[in-house]
């Protein structure tokens, strides 16, 4: 049985308690903004998208059937709102076909010792800024929002294999960006475990 | 390690038997290293995400347009286009309005004369700006 920590708020809002939605906003505004910023790469547009997503969520709450958590349902609204913005601006990237058979790439723990934390954060932020919205969104959902693969599938509508592949590809891009800033990277295997 | 195995490992989706199999194939040091690296990466990415969000995000209003500042109703680029269009229209009208009365009374004025042409251009610019505004607010 799936336990949704937001179920109480949802039921209060549905019963007419408009102020209960404030709690939902307080809980999810920054998280939604983080996802929107990863996709839109623009602070004003991200704020607009979050505003629109909350309005859509509020208006569409009666259609929320509880088959997923409220968080997953809401992130789906944020994601599709951002996709609509990208589509309208013709900024929706064409995604290349990625093989599911490629080797996995991960961050060796030693990498985190070889770069100053502040610099590491800056390098990752810059790479996320450059990264295609579809990769950045999957990384954000997995690492920051701590969504499961099944939840990411629900949010993005991507097949499970695509989610895993994009996660691997996104992680690879981040790792390569970091390795370029570490002079002694020759000791690191370039790519796989 | 395949990305499928890696994905299942970092998500904790492996059964004890599969975890044993991976450990036998790649060694426990590798498995430990992967999980440690993932924990560190998650920590850094969460911090990056927190730092990128402003401390005070604008308040959310539940009525679609009510209380939304112009900059959030329109995208920044389109907003400036509309403002520019409006300035052109106002400036153009201010320049030609005094002459419109003369032109209306003068039946010899042709469409290709400078004054009607100017008015036509101004109207087209204004309509263009309105069209862009309509597109930008079609959310």
């Amino acid at each position: 049985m799936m336990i949704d920590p937001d179920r109480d708020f949802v039921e209060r809002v549905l019963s007419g308690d408009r102020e209960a939605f404030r709690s939902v906003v307080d809980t999810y505004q920054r998280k939604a903004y983080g996802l929107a910023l990863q996709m839109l790469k623009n602070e004003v547009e991200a704020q607009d998208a979050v505003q629109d997503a909350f309005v859509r969520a509020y208006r569409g709450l009666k259609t929320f059937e509880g088959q997923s958590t409220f968080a997953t349902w809401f992130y789906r609204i944020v994601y599709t709102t951002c996709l609509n913005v990208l589509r309208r601006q013709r900024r929706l990237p064409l995604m290349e076909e990625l093989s599911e058979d490629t080797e996995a790439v991960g961050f060796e723990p030693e990498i985190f010792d070889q770069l100053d934390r502040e610099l590491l954060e800056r390098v990752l932020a810059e790479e996320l800024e450059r990264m295609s919205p579809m990769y950045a969104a999957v990384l954000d959902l997995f690492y920051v929002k701590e969504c499961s693969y099944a939840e990411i599938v629900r949010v993005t509508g991507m097949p499970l294999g695509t989610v895993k592949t994009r996660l691997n590809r996104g992680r690879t891009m981040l790792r390569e960006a970091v390795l370029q800033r570490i002079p002694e990277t020759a000791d690191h295997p370039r790519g796989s475990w | 390690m395949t990305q499928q195995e890696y994905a299942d490992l970092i998500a904790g989706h492996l059964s004890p038997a599969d975890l044993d199999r991976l450990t036998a194939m790649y060694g426990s040091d590798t498995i430990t290293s992967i999980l440690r690296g993932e924990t560190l990466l998650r920590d850094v990415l969460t911090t990056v995400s927190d730092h990128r969000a402003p401390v005070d995000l604008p308040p959310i209003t539940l009525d679609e347009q009510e209380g939304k500042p112009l900059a959030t109703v329109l995208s920044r680029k389109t907003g400036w286009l509309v403002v520019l269009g409006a300035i052109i229209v106002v400036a153009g009208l201010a320049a030609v309005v005094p002459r419109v009365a003369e032109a209306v009374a003068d039946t010899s004025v042709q469409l290709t004369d400078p004054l009607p042409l100017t008015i036509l251009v101004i109207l087209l610019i204004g309509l263009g700006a309105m069209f862009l505004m309509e597109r930008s607010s079609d959310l």
Side-chain angles (χ1 to χ4, degrees):
Chain A
M1 177 76 181
M2 178 181 56
I3 298 170
D4 187 348
D6 299 309
R7 191 70 217 180
D8 179 47
F9 290 123
V10 170
E11 284 173 3
R12 280 170 55 198
V13 175
L14 286 174
S15 65
D17 182 358
R18 186 175 160 124
E19 280 307 304
F21 202 73
R22 287 281 146 221
S23 303
V24 177
V25 170
D26 290 344
T27 304
Y28 288 103
Q29 187 177 10
R30 288 181 73 83
K31 294 175 181 177
Y33 176 80
L35 176 59
L37 190 60
Q38 296 289 14
M39 295 185 70
L40 299 175
K41 324 286 189 193
N42 177 293
E43 291 175 9
V44 175
E45 288 178 357
Q47 287 171 12
D48 281 357
V50 171
Q51 163 70 49
D52 290 334
F54 274 118
V55 171
R56 287 179 184 195
Y58 183 71
R59 289 182 176 172
L61 201 57
K62 53 185 172 298
T63 67
F64 174 60
E65 295 171 343
Q67 291 177 346
S68 65
T69 60
F70 172 81
T72 303
W73 182 79
F74 179 61
Y75 289 146
R76 167 96 185 140
I77 294 175
V78 177
Y79 181 84
T80 51
T81 302
C82 294
L83 273 192
N84 287 338
V85 173
L86 292 170
R87 201 170 282 134
R88 199 167 50 243
Q89 297 176 347
R90 296 188 172 84
R91 286 166 56 200
L92 201 59
L94 292 171
M95 300 304 294
E96 71 271 40
E97 287 293 320
L98 293 173
S99 169
E100 293 182 23
D101 298 328
T102 52
E103 291 283 298
V105 172
F107 274 71
E108 301 87 340
E110 299 78 41
I111 289 178
F112 296 89
D113 301 328
Q114 295 181 41
L115 212 58
D116 172 66
R117 171 74 182 223
E118 203 173 308
L119 177 60
L120 180 64
E121 288 174 10
R122 198 166 66 239
V123 171
L124 291 179
E126 287 169 1
E127 187 59 22
L128 286 167
E129 181 75 24
R130 272 194 297 271
M131 192 180 283
S132 161
M134 318 312 277
Y135 293 115
V138 171
L139 286 171
D140 184 74
L141 288 166
F142 184 77
Y143 286 108
V144 182
K145 309 293 185 289
E146 301 194 33
C147 292
S148 67
Y149 297 134
E151 287 170 333
I152 300 174
V153 166
R154 274 184 183 271
V155 171
T156 63
M158 297 174 192
L160 179 61
T162 306
V163 168
K164 290 178 179 176
T165 306
R166 289 196 179 159
L167 193 57
N168 190 51
R169 179 74 187 123
R171 195 169 45 234
T172 305
M173 289 185 230
L174 293 182
R175 182 175 179 273
E176 286 175 356
V178 170
L179 291 185
Q180 283 175 3
R181 305 296 278 269
I182 305 175
E184 56 269 44
T185 53
D187 295 339
H188 287 276
R190 293 292 288 189
S192 55
W193 294 92
Chain B
M1 185 179 297
T2 67
Q3 57 177 293
Q4 189 71 29
E5 291 169 331
Y6 189 100
D8 289 340
L9 173 65
I10 64 174
H13 286 178
L14 292 175
S15 66
D18 286 335
L19 185 57
D20 287 346
R21 183 180 59 80
L22 277 191
T23 305
M25 283 173 69
Y26 301 104
S28 61
D29 287 349
T30 300
I31 301 296
T32 305
S33 176
I34 288 172
L35 296 176
R36 174 90 182 120
E38 283 292 316
T39 303
L40 292 167
L41 179 60
R42 186 184 297 275
D43 182 50
V44 180
L45 288 178
T46 302
T47 308
V48 168
S49 178
D50 285 346
H51 286 176
R52 291 180 82 193
V55 177
D56 294 315
L57 286 165
I60 298 295
T61 57
L62 293 180
D63 298 307
E64 195 162 9
Q65 300 300 326
E66 181 189 319
K68 285 175 80 175
L70 182 65
T72 62
V73 175
L74 305 173
S75 75
R76 181 182 285 171
K77 192 176 171 185
T78 310
W80 280 114
L81 268 177
V82 171
V83 169
L84 189 65
I87 289 171
I88 291 171
V89 169
V90 171
L93 285 177
V96 300
V97 160
R99 296 176 61 193
V100 170
E102 295 172 30
V104 169
D106 184 355
T107 53
S108 65
V109 173
Q110 301 294 309
L111 186 62
T112 51
D113 287 350
L115 178 61
L117 208 56
T118 307
I119 294 172
L120 198 62
V121 168
I122 289 170
L123 280 174
L124 285 174
I125 291 172
L127 284 172
M130 286 172 67
F131 173 70
L132 285 173
M133 187 166 68
E134 178 65 25
R135 274 183 56 124
S136 75
S137 59
D138 181 22
L139 300 174

